[in-house]
Amino acid sequence: MSRTPLIAGNWKMYKTGPQAVTAATVLVKLCTGISNPEIMIAPNFIALQQVAQIFAGSPIKTGAQNLYFENQGAFTGEVSADMIKEAGAEYVIIGHSERRQIFGETDESIRKKIKSAVLSGLKPILCIGETEGQRDEEKTFQVLDKQVSDGLKGFGPDELVDLVLAYEPVWAIGTGKTANESQVDEVHRYLRSLLGKLFSQEFADQKRILYGGSVKPENAYSLMGIEDVDGALVGGASLDADKFINIIKYNESII
Ligand code: PEP
């Protein structure tokens, strides 16, 4: 089963509008002609529309880092899926651990966000992952099972054609600690078999499961070589165009 890998950059709350424009322009030059892997950058909302315009016609897709599940209304400070789509995004990251931990997102609100993304034609990237404490208590699979089952409850497989899953162990995000190859391999296999149980084997085989957590040029090649890893969600290293392009070109990496 061939799944085109996706290397997705999450710029988080970094880069002002002008800084995002400069970085996007640099990336377009660096990524010219690349058709595999697929590439995505999620800038902040302020920069989204301008960055999407810069990426238009290039191999780089635009994503948002979050959305609110209502279409419109009195929801001060929030942005809807339709607004994001209209601004030029193709993807949206949903349920990032920072949103779960800092902003109190639950599997229930995450499910509504996925629904809203699907209805608007945005491709959702559902982030899941255990904390260090949960791993130490050997609850990793239990936690992931709940995040996936509850987050995707009630959906039919046809609604989730564009769903991407991102396994991001919380203890590896922004810490410099990367899950080792056997940990990543074990979890990604587990997630694919869980998708098979929840939907069908065909569905599971088609789904891209990204790894995220301190991915950098030095470890991209070995992580991407794991059978059930179909790309990466990259935070810190996506802010630096040289590092990000070396992750995108992981196949050529000799680091
Ligand atoms: C992330 O924020 O999704 C992430 C993986 O961050 P980092 O690459 O910096 O660990």
Side-chain angles (χ1 to χ4, degrees), residues 10 12 96 98 168 172-174 212-215 233-236:
N10 173 10
K12 308 194 184 191
H96 190 280
E98 286 151 17
E168 300 206 296
I173 295 182
S214 299
V215 175
L233 183 51
V234 186

Side-chain angles (χ1 to χ4, degrees), residues 7-147:
I7 304 292
N10 173 10
W11 281 355
K12 308 194 184 191
M13 201 176 73
Y14 291 103
K15 298 191 192 291
T16 61
Q19 287 167 344
V21 164
T22 305
T25 309
V26 170
L27 274 181
V28 167
K29 286 204 185 98
L30 292 174
C31 294
T32 304
I34 298 177
S35 58
N36 188 335
E38 193 180 347
I39 306 161
M40 187 278 270
I41 287 285
N44 64 57
F45 281 133
I46 294 281
L48 185 83
Q49 188 155 16
Q50 265 186 301
V51 165
Q53 282 165 4
I54 293 166
F55 289 161
S58 86
I60 313 171
K61 316 274 176 62
T62 307
Q65 300 173 16
N66 181 33
L67 57 73
Y68 188 57
F69 51 76
E70 296 288 353
N71 276 344
Q72 59 174 16
F75 304 105
T76 303
E78 297 296 328
V79 178
S80 76
D82 283 349
M83 292 169 185
I84 291 168
K85 176 89 175 152
E86 173 71 26
E90 185 171 325
Y91 284 92
V92 58
I93 298 169
I94 295 180
H96 190 280
S97 64
E98 286 151 17
R99 301 242 25 116
R100 291 178 191 258
Q101 293 196 321
I102 305 170
F103 301 101
E105 289 200 5
T106 61
D107 292 324
E108 168 78 24
S109 66
I110 287 164
R111 180 166 72 239
K112 290 182 183 168
K113 288 181 179 206
I114 295 172
K115 185 87 187 171
S116 176
V118 168
L119 289 174
S120 298
L122 286 169
K123 297 175 177 169
I125 301 179
L126 169 61
C127 300
I128 53 170
E130 81 287 0
T131 62
E132 189 154 37
Q134 289 163 337
R135 179 163 279 270
D136 290 346
E137 289 171 37
E138 300 189 352
K139 290 191 175 147
T140 298
F141 296 112
Q142 193 183 319
V143 168
L144 296 174
D145 195 313
K146 183 176 182 319
Q147 289 173 339

